[in-house]
Amino acid sequence: MQDNNVAAAVVESSTPLQIIRTYADVATVKDNTIQLNETDGAEFLNSSVEFAGTGNVLFIEDGAKLRNTRLRFLGNNAVIHIRKSPRFIRLVASVFEDSVLYLGPGASFTSEARFLPTERKHVIIGADAMFSSRVTFRTADPHLIYAVGSHRRVNPSASIWVGDHVWLGEDTLLLKGARVGSGSILAARALITKPIPSNSTAAGVPGRIVGTGVFWTRPSVHAYTQAQTDRSGFEAKDDFIYSRDGFVLEIDKLEAELEQASDGPGRAAWCHRLDELTAKNRFFIA
């Protein structure tokens, strides 16, 4: 995920770089707001947080287990908000000015997922996400593109939203404007740029819908015995089937509320409000 633009942002920042490598380092960081506590069950192993700006907010829920994680604030008034999981959290993220990275509770990672929220756009991930290897998110193209006839920009940046209980396959790439409904599956090497309905499977480059009316569960079949395979032929529960009801959130409205925040603490407060919106069908997409 490192590119020339990211490296340049570190070099050009006028604010001295502040780095957290242990829980004890938190107290040394100035002009940024941090919750990163050494609580029961928490881990912060082979991980770091870098601040090349001020007014940023880092929220790591008590009990979160961070491993091989590198978080970087490359600007001011950005937010990284990470909920805890019984599993290890593994992220590499560079978050730029006024942008938000929100990771809901219960996520799992096969290897480090990579996030690049930039140009005041955001990456919002719901609960119980399952990340396979080398999943990447980018809210912007690295450079500007213009139409020859009008000289107007044709590649505006856009936020990425992923609902609850989404399986992100190996080498999946989610680009600006991607929206994924709860319960969906993104196949290996899928390139996602548009909305994916809930309980669907998307595959290919660019990603397209290849299956609908499906749901998935977490048990891995790799070491299954014959008896386990036989029992897996039917799943009676409908916990991961999503539908429209009165609790579906309007993503455009939510993002408009986030855009009204003028600083890091205001964006952090928005993240905490999203924590409280826990209805099953909140991220249903038709």
Side-chain angles (χ1 to χ4, degrees), residues 5 7 60 95:
N5 295 57
I60 307 296
V95 182

Side-chain angles (χ1 to χ4, degrees), residues 6 71 111 150 200 223 257 263:
V6 175
L71 308 176
S111 68
S150 66
S200 298
E257 293 172 356
D263 58 15

Side-chain angles (χ1 to χ4, degrees), residues 18-38 44 49 51 58:
Q18 303 179 84
I19 303 178
I20 298 171
R21 293 191 175 92
T22 68
Y23 288 110
D25 293 335
V26 171
T28 69
V29 176
K30 308 300 182 184
D31 301 318
N32 294 281
T33 302
I34 303 166
Q35 175 175 316
L36 176 60
N37 299 318
E38 190 173 10
F44 190 66
V49 185
F51 294 87
L58 172 67

Side-chain angles (χ1 to χ4, degrees), residues 56-76:
N56 300 293
V57 180
L58 172 67
F59 172 82
I60 307 296
E61 186 175 15
D62 289 350
K65 309 176 195 303
L66 273 61
R67 285 194 176 183
N68 302 323
T69 288
R70 185 182 184 191
L71 308 176
R72 298 194 293 173
F73 290 89
L74 302 180
N76 306 314

Side-chain angles (χ1 to χ4, degrees), residues 220-243:
S220 172
V221 304
H222 290 314
Y224 264 22
T225 64
Q226 182 62 55
Q228 288 173 306
T229 297
D230 293 343
R231 289 195 298 270
S232 72
F234 177 79
E235 174 56 67
K237 297 179 181 179
D238 61 0
D239 296 1
F240 305 119
I241 300 174
Y242 298 88
S243 60

Side-chain angles (χ1 to χ4, degrees), residues 1 21 45 53 57 68 75 77 86 97 122 126 183 208 210 219 223-224 253 258 265:
M1 188 175 71
R21 293 191 175 92
L45 299 177
V57 180
N68 302 323
N77 298 308
E97 188 106 355
H122 320 290
R208 61 185 181 85
V210 297
Y224 264 22
K253 181 179 178 181
L258 179 53

Side-chain angles (χ1 to χ4, degrees), residues 125-192:
I125 312 290
D128 194 34
M130 187 166 71
F131 294 83
S132 300
S133 300
R134 299 177 299 279
V135 178
T136 301
F137 300 77
R138 301 182 70 111
T139 65
D141 299 327
H143 305 286
L144 303 171
I145 303 174
Y146 297 91
V148 171
S150 66
H151 287 225
R152 293 188 178 278
R153 184 178 174 183
V154 297
N155 66 333
S157 300
S159 297
I160 298 170
W161 289 74
V162 174
D164 298 321
H165 190 69
V166 172
W167 177 0
L168 301 106
E170 187 173 66
D171 292 313
T172 300
L173 176 59
L174 293 92
L175 297 182
K176 54 191 175 72
R179 293 184 178 182
V180 183
S182 295
S184 289
I185 303 164
L186 307 182
R189 299 176 180 81
L191 172 64
I192 307 301

